[in-house]
Amino acid sequence: PRLGAIYRWNDDTVVRGGFGVTYNPIPWARALRGDNAYPITIPFSFFNNDTFLPYGTLNQGLPIVTGPDTSSGQVALPNSVTVWTAEPDNVDRGSIKTWNLSFERRLPWDVSLDVAYVGARGDGGYAAIDINNPTTIGSGNAGRPYASRGRTTQLLSFGQYLITRYNSLQIALNRPFTKGIMLKGAYTLSQAKNNASGAGADQDGRVTFNWNVPGEFDRNYAVAGFDRTHVVQIGFLYQLPWQSGGGGGLGRAIINDWQINGVVAAFSGQPFTATANANQLNTPNNTQLADLVGEPQKLGLIGAEGTYYDISAWAQPQGVRFGNTARNQFRGPGSWNTDLSIFRAFPLGASRRLEFRLETANLFNTPKFANPNGDITSTNFMRITAIANSNGVPHYPERQVRLGLRFSF
């Protein structure tokens, strides 16, 4: 269902609102497919101990694969196999509710301002809990419910466990192309939260959790790994006022038909988790967190220069307990980016037109770094050693310049 309304307050002001519900579109087959669907699919690997040599010749082929005995209609699950199974009475489709309320006002100079609140709430998304997870912290593999049967691997029960929340203030500034100028600007102040992201969620929709032990499941719910608190995007186009047809002369021939356009973006950093060695914790399939023992001091150093945060603020937890930090509690570096293009048009009569283009991505060669290493056991703890992926923001590791010609007719 969808519901929307628009109210025109006066000639310069419009109020809009909307609400909608979408039901979880992911089918069971997406999460229950592949090599986790034993015995429908049984994976085998064939390789030579010497990785530089083939497994065998084409004439030899691969060994005959022998599957399980299905004559009785029942197949015992081998203890070495990880399997996903739907949880009884917990497989109804969850929902995603979205809503917005915006206020748009026309300002002088053909500019319009739009201020909006946008929210989303997801409940009952599909995810899997390990039902063979230790029931007590520190009990190790012996504390798994099916350890008495020799099973120390996961048993993933698939059901409605996924939670997502999003709230944002969005401000947009727009000026349509008039008198040679177009402007589009947007600022978003937002927070996205969920209970599974990053390493806990794969691209096939097979979502699992970092904490499965009873009493600790709430640790999963935190700021989402892709969250950026602040994002600013400004796009502009400026067509110089001197156009063909306004007179002759060498000077006019040089300055006619130029256009400048570009996009400027700035964005805050993404969150990350500080983890620690889990040996003392002795609770398999649960992430150990680092202890925060001081105030995190941002040094801002990159790579060989040093660490992004002063590492003395974190320590390895002692004893059988989880560290006192939380999932995605800390943030990495933000950045900014400018793309700029210069076009020159050459009218060739009728509808024919030749256009020269000089386009630059990341004009000022500003770096976009990845989050620091969050593993306290690593020699690179809190050190940044890579560039960031895009995650919905402009991403060019270095300045790029492109020249082009475009002929239209």
Side-chain angles (χ1 to χ4, degrees):
R2 300 286 188 276
L3 177 66
I6 301 175
Y7 176 65
R8 191 179 187 90
W9 197 295
N10 54 43
D11 289 343
D12 296 322
T13 308
V14 174
V15 179
R16 299 180 178 89
F19 176 82
V21 179
T22 300
Y23 290 96
N24 183 8
I26 298 179
W28 288 10
R30 186 168 179 82
L32 302 181
R33 68 179 180 173
D35 57 1
N36 287 328
Y38 185 91
I40 299 173
T41 304
I42 303 174
F44 286 89
S45 298
F46 303 98
F47 60 91
N48 194 308
N49 290 330
D50 187 335
T51 56
F52 294 98
L53 295 176
Y55 177 79
T57 66
L58 289 177
N59 288 334
Q60 291 173 330
L62 296 176
I64 296 176
V65 174
T66 303
D69 183 3
T70 60
S71 59
S72 66
Q74 294 181 340
V75 177
L77 179 66
N79 287 329
S80 60
V81 172
T82 298
V83 69
W84 287 59
T85 181
E87 180 177 323
D89 301 321
N90 189 26
V91 292
D92 292 338
R93 293 191 181 278
S95 64
I96 302 172
K97 301 178 179 68
T98 58
W99 56 89
N100 63 81
L101 178 65
S102 68
F103 175 88
E104 184 176 4
R105 174 78 175 178
R106 184 163 59 188
L107 305 176
W109 306 295
D110 299 316
V111 174
S112 65
L113 174 67
D114 194 326
V115 180
Y117 164 66
V118 178
R121 177 189 177 106
D123 292 290
Y126 290 150
I129 288 181
D130 180 14
I131 59 175
N132 195 34
N133 190 83
T135 55
T136 305
I137 296 176
S139 60
N141 283 327
R144 295 179 182 270
Y146 296 97
S148 60
R149 303 183 185 183
R151 183 172 185 85
T152 57
T153 53
Q154 291 180 315
L155 280 175
L156 294 170
S157 180
F158 183 67
Q160 295 180 279
Y161 296 111
L162 199 60
I163 298 172
T164 58
R165 300 288 185 268
Y166 177 76
N167 292 281
S168 68
L169 170 67
Q170 301 181 8
I171 302 174
L173 204 64
N174 291 285
R175 186 184 194 275
F177 185 71
T178 54
K179 300 179 182 180
I181 299 175
M182 183 191 76
L183 177 66
K184 284 187 173 293
Y187 165 71
T188 302
L189 170 66
S190 66
Q191 185 185 67
K193 302 183 77 173
N194 60 22
N195 58 355
S197 67
D202 72 12
Q203 61 185 358
D204 293 328
R206 295 185 293 196
V207 180
T208 56
F209 298 101
N210 294 92
W211 294 275
N212 291 270
V213 66
E216 303 294 335
F217 187 75
D218 287 346
R219 288 182 179 271
N220 291 290
Y221 185 69
V223 174
F226 54 81
D227 177 76
R228 292 187 186 272
T229 305
H230 304 283
V231 176
V232 178
Q233 302 260 15
I234 300 174
F236 63 89
L237 184 154
Y238 177 50
Q239 189 177 71
L240 272 65
W242 304 287
Q243 301 296 309
S244 296
L250 178 61
R252 288 300 301 269
I254 294 175
I255 65 175
N256 280 348
D257 304 312
W258 287 92
Q259 175 182 304
I260 301 173
N261 51 76
V263 177
V264 180
F267 39 91
S268 56
Q270 293 178 287
F272 69 95
T273 305
T275 61
N277 187 291
N279 288 342
Q280 287 188 18
L281 182 65
N282 193 24
T283 311
N285 295 337
N286 289 270
T287 301
Q288 175 60 299
L289 301 165
D291 269 347
L292 189 63
V293 295
E295 185 68 24
Q297 181 182 358
K298 184 184 295 184
L299 305 177
L301 302 178
I302 306 295
E305 293 180 349
T307 57
Y308 189 72
Y309 285 100
D310 183 352
I311 63 175
S312 64
W314 289 269
Q316 170 69 41
Q318 300 300 315
V320 182
R321 63 177 180 86
F322 286 101
N324 63 14
T325 56
R327 170 177 169 249
N328 289 338
Q329 182 175 344
F330 311 101
R331 287 193 180 265
S335 189
W336 63 282
N337 186 83
T338 300
D339 299 336
L340 186 69
S341 301
I342 301 175
F343 295 177
R344 168 68 195 270
F346 299 90
L348 301 178
S351 61
R352 295 184 296 274
R353 176 186 175 97
L354 183 67
E355 189 174 74
F356 165 76
R357 297 184 173 191
L358 171 63
E359 301 173 323
T360 60
N362 193 5
L363 174 66
F364 298 105
N365 211 29
T366 53
K368 289 85 178 170
F369 292 113
N371 283 340
N373 185 317
D375 183 0
I376 199 172
T377 66
S378 171
T379 56
N380 285 323
F381 178 56
M382 291 300 164
R383 191 183 302 273
I384 294 176
T385 59
I387 59 173
N389 56 23
S390 60
N391 281 316
V393 298
H395 170 63
Y396 301 100
E398 65 279 321
R399 182 189 298 115
Q400 299 179 16
V401 180
R402 181 170 62 184
L403 300 175
L405 283 174
R406 181 176 184 269
F407 176 65
S408 59
F409 55 92

